[in-house]
Amino acid sequence: MQNLSAQAKGVLIFLGISFVFVVLMGLQDQSRTPIVAPWTPRQPVEAPIEAATASDEAAVDDEAAATEEATTAEETSTVNVTDETVAEAEAAPTNGVASTFFAVLSTNPPVPEDNPQTPEKEELGKLLYFDPRLSQSSIISCATCHNLGLGGTDRIPTSLGHDFQTGGRNAPTVLNAAFFNQQFWDGRAASLEEQAQGPIQAGVEMAMPPELAVERIKDISGYRPYFEAAFPGEEDPITFDNIAKAIASFERTLITPNDALDRYLQGETEALSPLAIEGMNTFIEVGCVACHNGSMLSTGTLMAFRHGEDPGRMTVTGNPEDEFLFRVPTLRNLPLTAPYFHDGSAATIEDAIRTMADVQLNRTLTEQEVTAISAFLNSLIGDQPQVTIPILPTADVLLPPNVEDVAQLVSVVRGPFATLSNTPPIPADNPQTAEKVELGTMLYFDPRLSQSSIISCATCHNLGLGGTDRIPTSLGHDFQTGGRNAPTVLNAAFFNQQFWDGRAASLEEQAQGPIEAGVEMAMPADLAVERMKSITGYLPYFQAAFPGEEDPITFDNIVKAIAAFERTLITPNDALDRYLRGDETALSPEAIKGMQTFQEVGCIGCHVGPMLSIGVLMPFHHGEDPGRMNVTGNPEDEFLFRVPTLRNLPLTGPYFHDGSAATIEEAIRTMGNVQLNRELNDEEVAAISAFLNSLVGQQPEVTIPFLPPN
């Protein structure tokens, strides 16, 4: 046997597979009634090779003959290896055995009749999937536990949800979940629509009762046109059922075809490495294919898995016969979805392989077998969905027309206002490079930079929410409430004083603060570096971003990369910019009146220039927060706060350092009273509001980055 080729071994394995299954079935607990029919090998699938040769066709005939021989061998409980079968093995195509058990992943999942797929529904579902306002806390979205940068999971053993409660189970990947007709580990939902409802309502997850979810979405007036387009003809389209239907429609787009196994099955024989092919054959030989087969490498049914204390399906039915029943997980994208099992107890693929062999196959695998199977499973990463972060609805805000080349926009200064530049200042010690921006994008979205592994820079500075979190004061580690409102990250590169109290002079300094702050990400600098180094996939990105450095993964480089990404988050071409460049129709007559009123009443004392902010600290006696004095201890700095930008103001409410103004109109009245010492009338407030509502610029188009596996 040692002298046989991999091809010969593959077919010999196939000849013995039925016998192996007989042995495996004998290991099952016969005291139970199985809930699924015993598995039988699939018929070979046709690989879409453009030109099949006569020898290929003969090899298929040989495989059929080999199958008959295997059946005979099963009846006698022996496998006879002859010179003829060895010759057949040598002649067989390398993917012949593989195509008996596995299939290429389709890009067209099943769609239920009562929820037909439409682009409008997918668009709405994408918004809802990423919208944390569907949770009671307004910081947890579907994407929190099913992060598309992390393989559709959160890569922690058991998910953290509302009030930092720990869920009892690991988050299964959302990628390709559309092919399952049993959702959740215990199969309690029969469809993606049912599944989408569960986490929103669950007290340990998003903790949002259906009626409150509907009420909140209705309160966001910008959502109504999306619901009307997705569910045309419905008198009241904003319902909980429709929320779930839209999310499910989006999730049906999250398909990851074209992994190495798919390409191998389609005739690309070098798609799998020799070790991965050995692992695939071992995977078949030892019996893993009894549960992990087909296009999903999963039967998709509930099977017994006695591992840990979780009773599985029995928690749903109360039936003791359902104890320890769990849905067989897909192995697609497995390297991206660690840790493994329903309880997240297996940290690595190798750990999972050993446990499965021990618990399910009642055998101990050799190190070579584990290594080979691991190589096979590590090849199962498909093309990841390319999803841009959606701009989430607020009030009736109109986004400006997109300009392909913003570098061509002309800078104009007119009176107290100026167009926003396309190029923020860049420090000499952190030059901007494409490699650094790429790394910074990954780090900005990576929740593993927090102690809990669920909070990222993007949690409080959500690019779909105007670079903020749209809650009065941010929630951070252990669900602690921060003392201040999260200022927008959009255009922050133009400020030389960061935070409300100006305690950081640059984006680099600013990026350090939240990572280390106990109330935010709670990650000491040395542990942040240690964790990034433990994610070996990050090293090439750091080496490319900081070439020539012997040890590029440092805390300074982490924040330099994040700052480099943040310098790309510029929002030019709002209505004021277009008006200043000569488009007299860009501002409505009411907005022009508001711009004039804004100047006449004195708002331009602080809000001028391209940022509509002088960018320095000014006194604002509002609330109990002492402002800058918290940093310096100097009583002269009491109530000093940095003047915020008014760019993108409609997207960044609530307002002020304490988030105490819920609307732009409320903020205008407060500023008139506190800063200008005058009571603005309703007409003045309405006019200024029209002007400020025109300040929404072209939002950054950011694709969710693929984050390196643990």
Side-chain angles (χ1 to χ4, degrees), residues 393-514:
T394 176
D396 300 321
V397 174
L398 291 177
L399 295 176
N402 271 12
V403 175
E404 291 294 329
D405 188 3
V406 294
Q408 300 302 313
L409 296 175
V410 179
S411 295
V412 175
V413 177
R414 189 190 298 182
F417 305 118
T419 56
L420 188 69
S421 169
N422 309 308
T423 53
I426 297 171
D429 65 344
N430 191 21
Q432 201 86 338
T433 67
E435 294 80 6
K436 203 178 292 177
V437 170
E438 182 181 21
L439 172 60
T441 307
M442 297 164 75
L443 294 169
Y444 186 90
F445 286 96
D446 201 328
R448 294 170 295 181
L449 264 180
S450 68
Q451 186 184 137
S452 65
S453 287
I454 69 162
I455 299 172
S456 70
C457 303
T459 303
C460 297
H461 301 283
N462 189 326
L463 300 184
L465 292 171
T468 71
D469 52 17
R470 289 201 196 152
I471 55 179
T473 55
S474 298
L475 289 171
H477 183 71
D478 207 20
F479 243 59
Q480 298 174 82
T481 302
R484 291 179 180 154
N485 180 263
T488 180
V489 70
L490 300 179
N491 307 312
F494 292 103
F495 280 133
N496 58 16
Q497 289 183 309
Q498 303 294 331
F499 297 111
W500 282 101
D501 53 22
R503 65 184 182 273
S506 67
L507 287 179
E508 286 76 7
E509 284 185 48
Q510 186 278 330
Q512 292 183 23

Side-chain angles (χ1 to χ4, degrees), residues 52-136:
T53 64
S55 60
D56 289 333
E57 294 172 359
V60 172
D61 292 338
D62 289 342
E63 262 187 42
T67 304
E68 292 179 6
E69 290 182 27
T71 304
T72 303
E74 181 181 340
E75 291 172 354
T76 59
S77 297
T78 61
V79 178
N80 297 317
V81 180
T82 66
D83 292 340
E84 289 77 8
T85 58
V86 171
E88 289 168 359
E90 294 287 0
T94 54
N95 65 357
V97 173
S99 63
T100 303
F101 301 104
F102 308 120
V104 173
L105 186 68
S106 169
T107 55
N108 297 304
V111 177
E113 291 183 4
D114 65 344
N115 190 23
Q117 205 81 350
T118 67
E120 295 81 6
K121 205 178 293 178
E122 291 171 13
E123 182 181 19
L124 172 60
K126 179 180 174 181
L127 294 169
L128 294 167
Y129 186 89
F130 286 97
D131 202 329
R133 295 169 295 180
L134 264 181
S135 68
Q136 186 183 137

Side-chain angles (χ1 to χ4, degrees), residues 479-668:
F479 243 59
Q480 298 174 82
T481 302
R484 291 179 180 154
N485 180 263
T488 180
V489 70
L490 300 179
N491 307 312
F494 292 103
F495 280 133
N496 58 16
Q497 289 183 309
Q498 303 294 331
F499 297 111
W500 282 101
D501 53 22
R503 65 184 182 273
S506 67
L507 287 179
E508 286 76 7
E509 284 185 48
Q510 186 278 330
Q512 292 183 23
I515 296 174
E516 297 181 282
V519 75
E520 297 183 62
M521 296 166 77
M523 192 69 149
D526 55 339
L527 293 184
V529 171
E530 182 181 324
R531 184 171 289 180
M532 290 300 104
K533 286 184 174 181
S534 74
I535 303 169
T536 55
Y538 260 122
L539 182 58
Y541 292 96
F542 275 91
Q543 290 172 330
F546 301 98
E549 294 192 17
E550 185 177 346
D551 183 14
I553 303 182
T554 66
F555 194 61
D556 278 351
N557 284 349
I558 287 171
V559 298
K560 281 182 175 180
I562 292 172
F565 167 64
E566 291 178 341
R567 288 192 175 94
T568 69
L569 304 178
I570 310 303
T571 64
N573 205 40
D574 66 13
L576 176 61
D577 282 355
R578 301 197 304 278
Y579 180 83
L580 295 175
R581 291 192 183 100
D583 182 356
E584 299 293 334
T585 65
L587 290 176
S588 68
E590 183 70 3
I592 293 173
K593 179 181 177 183
M595 179 176 64
Q596 294 165 348
T597 305
F598 186 86
Q599 297 175 67
E600 291 166 1
V601 301
C603 302
I604 56 172
C606 295
H607 296 285
V608 294
M611 285 286 280
L612 284 92
S613 166
I614 55 178
V616 298
L617 302 175
M618 295 291 286
F620 182 44
H621 298 267
H622 181 69
E624 303 300 319
D625 189 331
R628 176 75 175 172
M629 192 174 79
N630 269 346
V631 180
T632 65
N634 186 345
E636 292 185 3
D637 292 335
E638 189 174 22
F639 302 122
L640 288 185
F641 296 94
R642 187 192 68 184
V643 177
T645 180
L646 301 185
R647 294 273 178 179
N648 302 294
L649 198 67
L651 305 181
T652 61
Y655 306 102
F656 305 150
H657 58 275
D658 56 0
S660 58
T663 66
I664 288 178
E665 292 75 17
E666 186 179 341
I668 292 169

